[in-house]
Amino acid sequence: APLTDEHPLCRFPARYHFLKNNFKIVVPQKLICKTYQTYRQRIQSKKLSIVFSSYYLGSASSVFGHSFLRFSGENENELFDSGVNFAAHPTTENPVLYALYGLIGVFPATYSPMPYYFKVREYNDFEARDLWSYELNLTPTQVSRVLDHLWELGNTHFQYYYFNENCSYHILRA
């Protein structure tokens, strides 16, 4: 029987590739990871950039700006690239609790892939924020490994600390 989406090799492709390349592990069965394959087909991964969005005083969570990743493929227009965001999911709109929860790490945060043009619209069109993109000097294989690692982190929740374990911390750590 083929290995399916629930198999650890489908859930952890970055670890699988590391073990396969460094320890010559051979999987005797056919590996069919439909959900992972769909994810990889949706996100072109030839180049990787860190994108920084300037500060926005209209939102307490954006006073210091925001960082996210942009994966570029064969597209001629960068708007068709893919982005991977790391953000907190606030559980309150009370400004006092919002500030307190952000400081003590109450909000859960996750990585989420999305079309790059969503982030451009959010930051440029709705909030009039500047975006700066810095391409990283990585090979396509290294970019692919980052994408695999982000797949592994996809359903993981992290605590979001406003000052030290924020979006920039987690994006750079990935």
Side-chain angles (χ1 to χ4, degrees):
L3 304 177
T4 62
D5 284 331
E6 296 302 317
H7 193 278
L9 296 179
C10 292
R11 286 290 309 125
F12 302 104
R15 297 170 205 200
Y16 165 67
H17 289 294
F18 174 81
L19 292 171
K20 185 175 122 181
N21 294 335
N22 292 293
F23 300 105
K24 308 301 183 215
I25 290 177
V26 177
V27 178
Q29 299 171 324
K30 178 139 178 77
L31 193 60
I32 299 173
C33 306
K34 289 183 182 182
T35 307
Y36 168 71
Q37 290 170 351
T38 301
Y39 165 81
R40 288 306 304 258
Q41 289 170 351
R42 195 174 69 222
I43 300 178
Q44 299 286 317
S45 63
K46 300 283 187 218
K47 299 179 203 171
L48 176 60
S49 301
I50 292 179
V51 180
F52 176 73
S53 173
S54 63
Y55 64 89
Y56 179 62
L57 297 177
S59 170
S61 64
S62 298
V63 169
F64 299 113
H66 183 68
S67 301
F68 61 98
L69 297 173
R70 180 178 60 131
F71 289 88
S72 304
E74 303 297 328
N75 303 319
E76 291 184 26
N77 187 334
E78 71 180 27
L79 291 175
F80 295 117
D81 290 345
S82 297
V84 174
N85 192 39
F86 181 83
H89 306 287
T91 56
T92 183
E93 291 185 25
N94 179 314
V96 174
L97 287 178
Y98 188 92
L100 178 65
Y101 289 178
L103 291 173
I104 63 173
V106 172
F107 296 136
T110 58
Y111 289 94
S112 56
M114 65 191 60
Y116 181 62
Y117 65 84
F118 279 15
K119 298 307 284 179
V120 170
R121 284 208 54 165
E122 176 183 351
Y123 293 130
N124 280 352
D125 298 346
F126 300 137
E127 298 175 356
R129 294 165 72 173
D130 292 329
L131 294 175
W132 289 283
S133 184
Y134 302 95
E135 187 175 323
L136 301 176
N137 187 19
L138 300 174
T139 66
T141 300
Q142 291 169 322
V143 173
S144 182
R145 290 302 143 263
V146 171
L147 195 54
D148 285 350
H149 180 62
L150 290 170
W151 166 259
E152 293 179 359
L153 296 175
N155 292 326
T156 306
H157 287 80
F158 299 87
Q159 290 179 297
Y160 191 94
Y161 295 92
Y162 188 63
F163 287 116
N164 57 352
E165 291 185 27
N166 52 30
C167 59
S168 293
Y169 171 85
H170 282 279
I171 289 296
L172 292 174
R173 194 169 173 218

